[in-house]
């Protein structure tokens, strides 16, 4: 069994080698019990285990928590039973988000090793007199995955529909299972054309659900990124949405602060010192994130 845990930990580390620095790994169950842990994570063991216990019930599979805002330390919930902890001494914390694309693969493997895991019995807490005030657990910074917009054709295409053959082919791809970038790839169309086409047909009610179209340029390289923000997200966060964007196309990460009037400000991570990064992450607080590949 120990060999199995080591093998999976080694696989996870190998998938995170593209950044030119080593990423350390720990695997634990959702009750905060580590199954294997790199010694570089050991100094944060208590905080990590407490954070897992606190957050695991509130995170969906694929979501993450950052227990210490000043460290490149992230806890990913990868299945109903397991979490993976990633830590790096270098780089930017947003780079660790690339692990998300492998969550299903590793979640399935780890889930098998935890098949016999049962929830621990609830302990009866006995009040005790505490003479010293314990150091508070650092504030949790939670990230939720930005819901992917998957356009859906609202009604059947009939003879009265005035679309070209290529446009009709694109509309048939809008089946509620494909996202914007997936449709652009399959349709072999420029992303700018597809973006305008989808926006126009949302307004004409050929496509749904309703969403806010956003065009953002990476603040580090000016590469254009296209986003569709579900309308109901502003009902949950009426004033401002904070969206962390990790672009694997240009290898940059930045945050979009978006208000309901669709005006936004950008904050790059490119030139942050460790102190500035710590200050920014504390300001960011709860946010959404998305990976564009």
């Amino acid at each position: 069994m120990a060999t199995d845990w080591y093998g999976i930990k080694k696989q996870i580390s190998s998938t995170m080698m593209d950044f030119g620095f080593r990423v350390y790994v720990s695997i634990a169950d959702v009750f905060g019990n580590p199954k294997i842990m790199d010694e570089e994570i050991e100094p944060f063991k208590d905080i990590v285990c407490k954070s897992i216990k606190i957050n695991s019930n509130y995170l969906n599979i694929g979501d993450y928590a950052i227990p210490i805002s000043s460290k490149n330390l992230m806890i990913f919930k990868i299945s109903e039973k397991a979490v993976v902890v990633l830590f790096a001494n270098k780089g930017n914390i947003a780079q660790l988000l690339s692990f998300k694309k492998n969550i299903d693969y590793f979640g399935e493997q780890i889930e098998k090793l935890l098949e016999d895991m049962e929830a621990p019995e609830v302990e009866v807490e006995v009040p005790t007199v505490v003479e010293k005030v314990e150091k508070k657990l650092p504030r949790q910074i939670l990230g939720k995955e930005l819901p992917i917009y998957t356009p859906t054709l609202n009604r059947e295409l009939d003879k009265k529909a005035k679309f070209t053959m290529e446009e009709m082919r694109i509309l048939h791809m809008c089946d509620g299972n494909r996202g914007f970038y997936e449709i652009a790839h399959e349709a072999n169309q420029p992303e700018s054309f597809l973006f305008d086409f989808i926006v126009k047909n949302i307004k004409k009610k050929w496509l749904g659900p309703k969403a806010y179209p956003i065009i953002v340029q990476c603040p580090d390289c000016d590469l254009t990124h296209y986003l569709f923000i579900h309308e109901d997200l502003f009902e949950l966060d009426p004033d401002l949405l904070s969206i962390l964007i990790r672009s694997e196309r240009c290898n940059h990460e930045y945050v979009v602060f978006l208000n309901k009037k669709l005006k936004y400000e950008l904050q790059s991570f490119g030139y942050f010192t460790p102190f500035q990064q710590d200050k920014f992450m504390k300001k960011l607080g709860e946010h959404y994130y998305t990976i564009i590949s």
Side-chain angles (χ1 to χ4, degrees), residues 53 72 100-101 137 161 171 235:
K53 292 176 183 177
N72 293 350
K100 187 182 182 317
K101 62 187 177 183
L137 186 69
L171 288 172
E235 295 177 5

Side-chain angles (χ1 to χ4, degrees), residues 112-207:
K112 291 178 181 179
L113 295 180
L114 294 172
E115 283 181 350
D116 299 328
M117 186 189 78
E118 296 181 359
E121 295 182 3
V122 178
E123 297 180 1
V124 178
E125 295 187 1
V126 180
T128 57
V129 177
V130 180
E131 295 181 357
K132 295 183 180 180
V133 178
E134 294 184 0
K135 184 178 181 181
K136 292 183 178 179
L137 186 69
R139 185 170 64 90
Q140 306 297 311
I141 300 177
L142 303 180
K144 290 284 187 181
E145 182 179 9
L146 183 71
I148 297 175
Y149 182 73
T150 53
T152 304
L153 190 61
N154 283 334
R155 56 185 189 270
E156 293 185 5
L157 295 170
D158 52 30
K159 295 181 180 179
K160 295 181 181 180
K162 297 181 180 180
F163 295 105
T164 66
M165 292 298 294
E166 181 61 25
E167 289 173 339
M168 292 183 71
R169 188 170 77 91
I170 293 173
L171 288 172
H172 281 297
M173 292 181 186
C174 297
D175 56 2
N177 296 315
R178 297 174 172 92
F180 170 79
Y181 287 100
E182 188 176 359
I183 295 173
H185 177 73
E186 291 186 23
N188 195 27
Q189 290 287 344
E191 292 172 359
S192 57
F193 164 79
L194 180 63
F195 183 81
D196 291 340
F197 179 75
I198 291 177
V199 171
K200 180 175 68 176
N201 286 287
I202 289 175
K203 292 179 180 179
K204 291 184 176 181
K205 299 183 179 180
W206 276 102
L207 295 175

Side-chain angles (χ1 to χ4, degrees), residues 66 68-70 139-142 237 240-244 255-258 265-269 272 274-288:
I66 301 176
I68 307 175
S69 61
S70 60
R139 185 170 64 90
Q140 306 297 311
I141 300 177
L142 303 180
D237 298 275
L240 191 72
L241 293 182
S242 301
I243 306 169
L244 174 64
V255 171
V256 180
F257 294 102
L258 178 68
E265 296 181 2
L266 303 180
Q267 176 61 65
S268 168
F269 284 1
F272 274 14
F275 174 77
Q276 290 170 327
Q277 179 179 331
D278 179 35
K279 185 177 180 180
F280 176 79
M281 291 302 293
K282 289 178 180 178
K283 176 185 176 183
L284 185 60
E286 295 189 6
H287 60 280
Y288 292 96

Side-chain angles (χ1 to χ4, degrees), residues 14-279:
S14 66
T15 64
M16 306 294 291
M17 295 295 289
D18 294 341
F19 306 121
F21 55 83
R22 181 171 176 182
V23 176
Y24 301 100
V25 179
S26 176
I27 303 171
D29 62 31
V30 291
F31 304 111
N33 303 309
K35 303 302 176 183
I36 192 167
M37 179 178 287
D38 279 331
E39 62 180 14
E40 286 77 7
I41 302 179
E42 289 283 349
F44 315 111
K45 181 177 179 180
D46 289 343
I47 291 176
V48 166
C49 292
K50 288 180 181 179
S51 182
I52 292 171
K53 292 176 183 177
I54 292 170
N55 292 307
S56 60
N57 288 334
Y58 303 100
L59 298 177
N60 296 318
I61 295 173
D63 291 341
Y64 67 85
I66 301 176
I68 307 175
S69 61
S70 60
K71 300 292 182 181
N72 293 350
L73 183 68
M74 299 183 77
I75 300 170
F76 291 87
K77 186 172 182 179
I78 65 167
S79 74
E80 293 298 337
K81 296 181 179 179
V83 300
V84 165
V85 182
L86 301 180
F87 171 67
N89 284 315
K90 299 180 180 180
N92 192 288
I93 192 167
Q95 291 175 292
L96 301 182
L97 285 174
S98 64
F99 173 69
K100 187 182 182 317
K101 62 187 177 183
N102 296 313
I103 279 179
D104 290 341
Y105 173 74
F106 288 113
E108 184 177 348
Q109 290 192 60
I110 294 172
E111 192 83 359
K112 291 178 181 179
L113 295 180
L114 294 172
E115 283 181 350
D116 299 328
M117 186 189 78
E118 296 181 359
E121 295 182 3
V122 178
E123 297 180 1
V124 178
E125 295 187 1
V126 180
T128 57
V129 177
V130 180
E131 295 181 357
K132 295 183 180 180
V133 178
E134 294 184 0
K135 184 178 181 181
K136 292 183 178 179
L137 186 69
R139 185 170 64 90
Q140 306 297 311
I141 300 177
L142 303 180
K144 290 284 187 181
E145 182 179 9
L146 183 71
I148 297 175
Y149 182 73
T150 53
T152 304
L153 190 61
N154 283 334
R155 56 185 189 270
E156 293 185 5
L157 295 170
D158 52 30
K159 295 181 180 179
K160 295 181 181 180
K162 297 181 180 180
F163 295 105
T164 66
M165 292 298 294
E166 181 61 25
E167 289 173 339
M168 292 183 71
R169 188 170 77 91
I170 293 173
L171 288 172
H172 281 297
M173 292 181 186
C174 297
D175 56 2
N177 296 315
R178 297 174 172 92
F180 170 79
Y181 287 100
E182 188 176 359
I183 295 173
H185 177 73
E186 291 186 23
N188 195 27
Q189 290 287 344
E191 292 172 359
S192 57
F193 164 79
L194 180 63
F195 183 81
D196 291 340
F197 179 75
I198 291 177
V199 171
K200 180 175 68 176
N201 286 287
I202 289 175
K203 292 179 180 179
K204 291 184 176 181
K205 299 183 179 180
W206 276 102
L207 295 175
K210 292 183 179 179
Y212 296 105
I214 306 294
I215 300 177
V216 180
Q217 288 185 312
C218 173
D220 294 319
C221 67
D222 292 331
L223 182 67
T224 301
H225 296 134
Y226 299 94
L227 298 175
F228 288 90
I229 310 297
H230 285 264
E231 190 178 49
D232 59 0
L233 290 188
F234 280 106
E235 295 177 5
L236 301 174
D237 298 275
D239 298 323
L240 191 72
L241 293 182
S242 301
I243 306 169
L244 174 64
I245 295 179
R246 159 69 176 161
S247 173
E248 295 183 343
R249 296 181 166 195
C250 59
N251 200 31
H252 293 138
E253 48 273 337
Y254 57 94
V255 171
V256 180
F257 294 102
L258 178 68
N259 66 27
K260 200 168 185 178
K261 294 181 180 179
L262 304 187
K263 294 183 179 180
Y264 62 81
E265 296 181 2
L266 303 180
Q267 176 61 65
S268 168
F269 284 1
Y271 304 101
F272 274 14
T273 64
F275 174 77
Q276 290 170 327
Q277 179 179 331
D278 179 35
K279 185 177 180 180

